[in-house]
Amino acid sequence: MEEIHDENQLLYYLKQYQLETVFPEPLRPLMTVCHFEKCELICRQGEASEYLYVLVEGKIKIFTTSAQDKTLVLCFKTPLEVVGDVEYVRESPIINTVQAVTPVVMLRIHYRHLVEHAGDYAPLLKFLLKIISHKFYIDSNFSSFNLMYPVEVRLASYLLSISTEEAGAVVHEGLDSFNLTDIANLIGTSYRHLNRVIQKLCTDGFIERNQGFIQVKDRAGLRQIAGHNIYE
């Protein structure tokens, strides 16, 4: 992680996402702009939570790890998103691990500064309420999505979540076979049925499976199958 104290860069992001009123002026000298490399961990499940992060560039992956060291990807997030908000309100350790999928830029501020300078600041509290309630809404939609839609639709949605479009080009992320069990668990199906659906998507030309990896070939086609993307 590279931490930058740059007021102009901070103000640029605050203005871009209309956050000037959310973070009052006394907080701004205490905020930093943090750059994370692809695959770098931002926070780890179970560790003490100290910072509120605001995602302003890039994509992050949120996942949980069981006592048996099995990981389950919960969702992918793009701007504008907040990390550490639930932990701040609940005063709890970090709930899930957060990792950069692409190079990521986040605004960061320590909880103690929030408490000292904006503990009862209405615009910030309203912002956090909106973000947290949206997460509950997404969780509710996620449960319904996994129950109501065919596996082909769920898989297409997931594959859309792990590929990004940058400057008109499609950047693909590979999935190895070892992770297919985790994907099956996430989208609510069996490993065997997931393999059948993958084979169908390969036959139809939407994806390609080669040497244990899956690559998206037709992003537009997958988007048409998915209809909407529940995993982002």
Side-chain angles (χ1 to χ4, degrees):
M1 180 194 74
E2 181 185 6
E3 188 175 12
I4 300 172
H5 295 268
D6 185 330
E7 183 179 0
N8 289 332
Q9 194 173 114
L10 174 65
L11 291 176
Y12 167 78
Y13 287 119
L14 291 179
K15 183 177 181 179
Q16 181 181 2
Y17 292 102
Q18 300 177 343
L19 297 175
E20 300 103 316
T21 58
V22 172
F23 296 99
E25 288 191 17
L27 283 180
R28 295 175 191 175
L30 306 170
M31 299 177 71
T32 57
V33 180
C34 298
H35 292 248
F36 294 88
E37 298 296 328
K38 178 180 178 179
C39 296
E40 188 174 357
L41 289 182
I42 296 164
C43 57
R44 192 187 301 270
Q45 177 182 339
E47 293 184 349
S49 185
E50 298 181 291
Y51 295 96
L52 185 79
Y53 293 90
V54 181
L55 176 65
V56 291
E57 280 189 25
K59 179 183 287 189
I60 58 175
K61 174 174 67 176
I62 300 174
F63 62 94
T64 185
T65 305
S66 70
Q68 294 76 33
D69 287 331
K70 293 184 177 181
T71 61
L72 177 63
V73 176
L74 301 176
C75 60
F76 297 83
K77 298 290 186 179
T78 53
L80 182 71
E81 184 56 49
V82 177
V83 173
D85 48 344
V86 175
E87 291 86 347
Y88 172 68
V89 173
R90 296 181 66 240
E91 299 182 348
S92 69
I94 297 167
I95 300 172
N96 299 307
T97 300
V98 180
Q99 184 179 29
V101 176
T102 65
V104 159
V105 179
M106 305 188 89
L107 310 183
R108 188 175 80 164
I109 185 166
H110 200 283
Y111 289 162
R112 68 172 180 270
H113 299 316
L114 290 176
V115 172
E116 182 179 356
H117 297 284
D120 57 356
Y121 183 61
L124 175 61
L125 297 177
K126 184 178 179 181
F127 172 72
L128 293 177
L129 177 61
K130 183 178 180 180
I131 291 290
I132 293 172
S133 61
H134 180 69
K135 289 180 179 179
F136 285 127
Y137 171 77
I138 292 297
D139 286 345
S140 176
N141 269 5
F142 175 81
S143 299
S144 299
F145 186 81
N146 268 2
L147 288 171
M148 297 174 61
Y149 288 88
V151 172
E152 184 181 49
V153 174
R154 288 177 254 161
L155 179 59
S157 181
Y158 179 85
L159 292 174
L160 287 171
S161 292
I162 62 168
S163 63
T164 57
E165 288 183 320
E166 298 175 1
V170 179
V171 181
H172 303 294
E173 297 290 339
L175 293 176
D176 59 51
S177 299
F178 180 77
N179 290 326
L180 292 186
T181 299
D182 290 338
I183 298 170
N185 290 335
L186 171 67
I187 67 176
T189 190
S190 67
Y191 180 89
R192 181 175 297 179
H193 187 46
L194 176 63
N195 268 309
R196 287 197 293 266
V197 174
I198 288 173
Q199 183 57 49
K200 182 179 185 301
L201 292 179
C202 287
T203 301
D204 293 341
F206 296 111
I207 62 176
E208 182 179 278
R209 192 173 188 175
N210 185 29
Q211 297 182 343
F213 282 81
I214 296 173
Q215 187 175 37
V216 174
K217 303 298 290 184
D218 184 356
R219 184 179 173 88
L222 286 180
R223 191 178 297 280
Q224 188 172 3
I225 293 172
H228 66 289
N229 193 345
I230 193 64
Y231 299 115
E232 287 190 0

